[in-house]
């Protein structure tokens, strides 16, 4: 079998990249710095030391092109990395497209998404700095799961504040966090001043990500042996995720392919940046020239509808001001199933690259995305998380267009997680219970319907 | 890095075995045949044609040593096969053992377990025979999920009767079946005479696997374009699962290892048989000599406590009589979390091999197994389904014993599925809500406790 006809393009463990790529080294213009809300001046390392270890603060600002991945981090990465790149043969066949669709699958990780790529180094650098406990917030629970697992690997305690509405409605993520050894509290909680203040006003508060951040930050700031960890948006987080794109470049090279189009979903931007940044480096170096497109939810369209301005990262206005595409730090997105994309802002690095024309962006509705997810599940055998169905909807639309034009486009998409704990989204879609259960993209609707009637792809 | 120090031992797609192994070709004595309950005579092909296509009936009785895997089945297998073999380095380190523990991981399949290995060929042979619809029963839902996915690949309709208690309590499996295109009914249903009879007596019946089988069989028997599919116990099912053991043999050979001990969990026997049969062939050929041990739940101990006798495969007594280790076809096991192991009988092939001394068996309690599952999750990053924690408890006990004796035993275990939809079992264990939350195996308790305090394995 020729390698290009294989379903799986795998790397051996000793082919795993040993360096992260820092996009700040090569960006045509540098991104605007974060500002101290009090002074209006760029924040310095001292402003961040109550929350982060110096190694991560340095990664936040460095312009070194490559950062070595510590041996201890590589050792944990090897539990699931290099992650597989798959060619979507059966999806292509169902679409009748000459396009070649590849997906880089991060669902093989302990948490089932790309989040452990940064949780593991964050836990490592904190342990190295003598920190004993990490605090964080989590919404649907992916990030909390990742950090609980990572902390267990380096002997740290992990304490997670989960938005109460999710804590009550999605108990499986709480159970997974506990199975990995983490401690989890519904937020608002009686454990913090911030939580108590909210509960005094409303004992039945469903909580919010903003409140949960306040609680986790408060605990970390008050305990000299505790730090805080964030799962997206920041430069060092996107740095750690570049191992996705570095591996994908090696995997495509193995079969002699060049990507014409990269599509990834964007919430805070870490999965998209992780895939895209190494490809942008290659484009700037002139070795490849893919179109790079971010896909965001229509209900939380920070890139396509937000303004590019300095704004707070949290609802309460406690963080430094970041220059980013934002819907306003008090924006509350609809409760769509893709919980990981419900963030008012966008990573400053992604925002800057969008503003300078290096990447494109597009917004998609929930219904269109889940339709793409169902077609993908039935052809490729993986139920995707609602988040990456945004990228799949785009990949399927492009591939269906190629079926008309005959173009043999090479499409690479980031399948950043499985949907085993998100099946309620599919249930709502299949039973017409999605709030926005209308078709936005008529071409996609036709492509999915035609492909589903053409199944099975292997007979006839 | 020397290969033996790698975490993952992978096969390329073109190394995937292209034949299943039929253990009946080499068993020292042939297994007793199934009998017709009316005549007391061995059943013939005509007795089975209302339910199964001829290709599967032939596989049920043949003594050919190898059966070619059809190209169309290989093509679907390649979505996830060859499945990975992993070396449990971090678990070994936490146990401080010189033993080497390998696990063959089937959780990468579309359903998240080994079940698609037989669902796919069963759907293929039925489609080839012109069948339009497959019916089946499912308890917790693993098998129904697998058959729904498999039917979608070959253009068959799939109709699943799920025990109502599970249908109501575990909605995620129903949602996954529907996402893969299957139709699912709670059982008892108004759709069959068997279901209506039960509902007439008890409109709130929680159902049982026996009732669900009756409903699925009734529908298949009455519709000439429909057939029935079973996910374990039968010879052809175990045949299809031998691809697990064939791959594991190739993977161990790649790194120059020989297994000293094989452990697998047993319910109907298909996962255990799939791993063990190719190793038994090698033992009979004199090339390797592992101890082969089945581990079953203490609450459903068909091998260790059942009698070896002719009994029905279903509760209602509709199937042929099979010579097997059985607790009686009216035995109702406790509602343990390892739903896939709650079966009153044992595959006739496994039963015969146990009776003739080729394999060992052991029973383990739920608490001990889930303790092993937690240690495994925290070290290896995979939350196992409750079923394979039975094998993990045995592997961990043996490895802990090696820590005392210094023996460098090579232990191979079948990790037949992930536990993403079984997290309630871990929740019950961690919060002392398991009905049998007592330690049966003191040595295991000590080994797990010691290993958990020694975490993290990578620091110090």
């Amino acid at each position: 079998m020729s390698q290009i006809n294989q379903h799986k393009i795998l790397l051996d463990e000793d082919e795993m990249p040993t360096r992260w790529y820092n996009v700040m080294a090569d960006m045509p213009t540098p991104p605007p710095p974060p500002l101290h809300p009090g002074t209006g001046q760029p924040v310095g390392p001292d402003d961040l030391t109550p929350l982060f270890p110096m190694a991560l603060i340095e990664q936040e600002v460095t312009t070194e092109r490559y950062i070595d991945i510590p041996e201890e981090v590589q050792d944990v990465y090897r539990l699931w990395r290099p992650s597989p790149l798959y060619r979507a043969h059966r999806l292509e066949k169902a679409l009748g497209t000459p396009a070649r669709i590849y997906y880089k699958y991060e669902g093989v990780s302990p948490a089932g998404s790309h989040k452990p790529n940064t949780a593991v180094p964050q836990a490592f650098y904190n342990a190295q700095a003598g920190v004993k406990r990490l605090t964080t917030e989590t919404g649907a629970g992916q990030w909390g799961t990742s950090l609980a697992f990572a902390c267990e690997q380096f002997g740290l305690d992990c304490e997670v504040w989960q938005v109460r509405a999710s804590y009550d409605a999605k108990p499986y993520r709480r159970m997974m966090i506990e199975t990995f050894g983490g401690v989890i509290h519904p937020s608002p909680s009686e454990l913090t001043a911030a939580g108590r203040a909210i509960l005094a006003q409303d004992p039945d508060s469903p909580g919010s990500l903003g409140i949960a951040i306040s609680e986790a930050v408060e605990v970390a700031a008050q305990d000299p042996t505790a730090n805080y960890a964030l799962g997206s948006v920041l430069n060092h987080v996107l740095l750690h995720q570049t191992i996705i794109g570095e591996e994908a470049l090696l995997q495509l090279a193995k079969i002699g392919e060049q990507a014409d189009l990269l599509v990834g979903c964007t919430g805070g931007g870490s999965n998209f940046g992780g895939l895209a940044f190494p490809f942008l480096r290659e484009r700037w170096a002139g070795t490849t020239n893919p179109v790079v497109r971010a896909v965001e939810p229509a209900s939380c369209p920070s890139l396509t509808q937000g303004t590019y301005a300095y704004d707070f990262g949290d609802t309460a206005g406690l963080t430094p001001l970041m220059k980013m595409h934002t819907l306003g730090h008090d924006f509350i997105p609809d409760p769509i199933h893709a919980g990981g994309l419900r963030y008012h802002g966008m990573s400053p690095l992604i925002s800057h690259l969008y503003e300078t024309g290096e990447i494109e962006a597009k917004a998609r509705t929930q219904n269109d995305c889940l339709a793409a997810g169902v077609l993908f599940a039935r052809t490729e055998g993986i139920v995707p998380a609602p988040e990456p169905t945004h990228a799949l909807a785009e990949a399927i639309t492009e591939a269906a267009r190629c079926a008309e034009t005959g173009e043999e486009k090479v499409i690479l998409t980031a399948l950043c997680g499985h949907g085993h704990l998100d099946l309620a989204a599919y249930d709502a879609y299949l039973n017409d219970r999605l709030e926005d259960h209308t078709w936005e993209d008529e071409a996609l609707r036709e492509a999915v319907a035609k492909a589903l009637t053409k199944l099975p792809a292997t007979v006839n």
Side-chain angles (χ1 to χ4, degrees), chain A:
Chain A
M1 180 182 341
S2 107
Q3 280 196 303
I4 209 164
N5 288 323
Q6 289 194 352
H7 175 62
K8 300 183 257 314
I9 301 105
L10 304 175
L11 297 175
D12 288 334
E13 285 179 23
D14 53 13
E15 295 174 286
M16 187 174 81
T18 58
R19 304 185 300 182
W20 294 301
Y21 169 61
N22 178 17
V23 75
M24 284 189 286
D26 295 317
M27 288 168 99
T29 58
L35 302 180
H36 192 289
T39 65
Q41 294 301 306
V43 295
D46 288 351
D47 297 316
L48 300 171
T49 47
L51 295 182
F52 301 110
M54 195 49 72
L56 291 176
I57 294 171
E58 282 167 6
Q59 291 180 2
E60 193 63 22
V61 298
T62 183
T63 53
E64 286 288 315
R65 182 168 287 113
Y66 294 103
I67 308 289
D68 287 336
I69 304 174
E71 279 293 340
E72 296 87 339
V73 172
Q74 290 187 39
D75 199 41
V76 182
Y77 273 180
R78 281 193 199 96
L79 285 175
W80 74 95
R81 306 211 70 89
S83 73
L85 179 75
Y86 292 119
R87 165 101 182 261
H89 281 292
R90 298 174 79 83
L91 173 61
E92 292 169 18
K93 220 178 276 184
L95 292 167
T97 183
R100 298 193 290 280
I101 305 172
Y102 294 89
Y103 52 103
K104 178 70 171 163
Y105 187 43
E106 294 293 309
V108 294
S109 86
S113 79
H114 63 295
K115 293 285 184 185
N117 293 334
T118 184
V120 172
Q122 288 195 49
F124 168 75
Y125 290 118
N126 275 289
Q128 203 184 36
V131 170
K132 301 299 177 200
R133 175 165 64 140
L134 283 183
T135 69
T136 199
E137 73 290 336
T138 202
Q142 271 285 0
W143 169 242
T145 308
S146 303
L147 197 67
F149 170 76
C151 284
E152 186 74 19
Q153 304 316 302
F154 298 105
L156 296 178
D157 291 332
C158 178
E159 214 161 335
V160 180
W161 275 261
Q162 183 174 28
V163 177
R164 176 175 276 286
S166 296
Y167 182 92
D168 290 340
K170 298 186 172 179
Y172 272 25
R173 277 284 167 199
R174 167 182 65 74
M175 296 173 190
M176 200 158 176
I177 288 169
E178 291 175 340
T179 300
F180 280 142
V183 171
I184 184 164
H185 313 290
S187 167
S189 75
E190 293 283 355
L191 300 165
T192 66
R196 287 189 295 272
I198 301 282
L199 289 172
Q201 289 175 8
D202 177 6
D204 298 322
S205 166
S208 73
L209 214 46
I211 298 167
I213 293 177
S214 301
E215 294 203 272
V217 166
E218 177 184 325
V219 169
Q222 290 179 356
D223 177 355
T225 69
N227 265 347
Y228 168 74
L230 192 68
S232 191
V233 180
L234 300 181
N235 299 353
H236 69 270
V237 177
L238 274 66
L239 172 80
H240 300 152
Q241 294 293 355
T242 58
I243 190 162
I244 301 173
E246 294 289 10
E247 286 181 2
L249 276 170
L250 294 173
Q251 286 163 312
L252 287 178
K254 246 193 177 179
I255 52 168
E257 285 278 36
Q258 295 251 9
D260 299 309
L261 172 66
L262 258 67
V263 286
C265 64
T266 41
S270 76
N271 158 62
F272 175 78
L275 180 71
F277 289 173
F279 283 84
L280 290 177
R281 176 192 64 216
E282 298 305 309
R283 192 169 73 190
W284 293 323
T287 58
T288 183
N289 192 23
V291 170
V292 179
R293 190 176 299 154
V295 190
E296 59 187 11
S299 60
C300 195
S302 56
L303 280 175
T304 56
Q305 302 284 330
T307 53
Y308 185 53
Y310 273 101
D311 194 9
F312 293 105
D314 68 323
T315 311
L318 298 173
T319 69
L321 288 161
M322 294 180 286
K323 185 83 180 275
M324 59 183 178
H325 285 82
T326 175
L327 299 159
H329 63 276
D330 53 355
F331 177 81
I332 297 178
D334 287 343
I336 57 168
H337 289 280
L341 308 184
R342 293 179 66 233
Y343 184 67
H344 69 274
M346 178 56 59
S347 139
L349 290 177
I350 306 279
S351 294
H352 186 63
L353 289 165
Y354 180 61
E355 200 60 24
T356 54
E358 299 290 337
I359 61 172
E360 303 178 357
K362 190 160 168 178
R364 283 195 168 269
T365 60
Q366 185 162 230
N367 182 66
D368 294 10
C369 297
L370 285 165
V374 167
L375 176 60
F376 187 83
R378 292 187 186 175
T379 49
E380 293 294 310
I382 294 172
V383 179
E387 290 82 357
T389 63
H390 289 72
L392 289 174
E394 190 64 18
I396 287 169
T397 301
E398 285 279 351
R401 195 174 296 147
C402 292
E404 305 297 325
T405 64
E407 194 185 350
E408 295 187 13
K409 190 176 275 193
V410 175
I411 301 169
L412 171 61
T413 176
L415 191 66
C416 57
H418 65 64
H420 298 163
L421 301 185
D422 304 290
L423 284 158
Y426 287 89
D427 193 46
Y429 167 75
L430 291 168
N431 293 288
D432 288 1
R433 285 190 283 96
L434 278 182
E435 292 202 6
D436 61 342
H437 197 192
T438 53
W439 288 89
E440 186 89 1
D441 182 339
E442 194 58 28
L444 176 65
R445 188 191 67 73
E446 275 173 31
V448 168
K450 195 169 148 199
L452 285 176
T453 61
K454 275 177 66 186
L455 288 183
T458 48
V459 294
N460 304 325

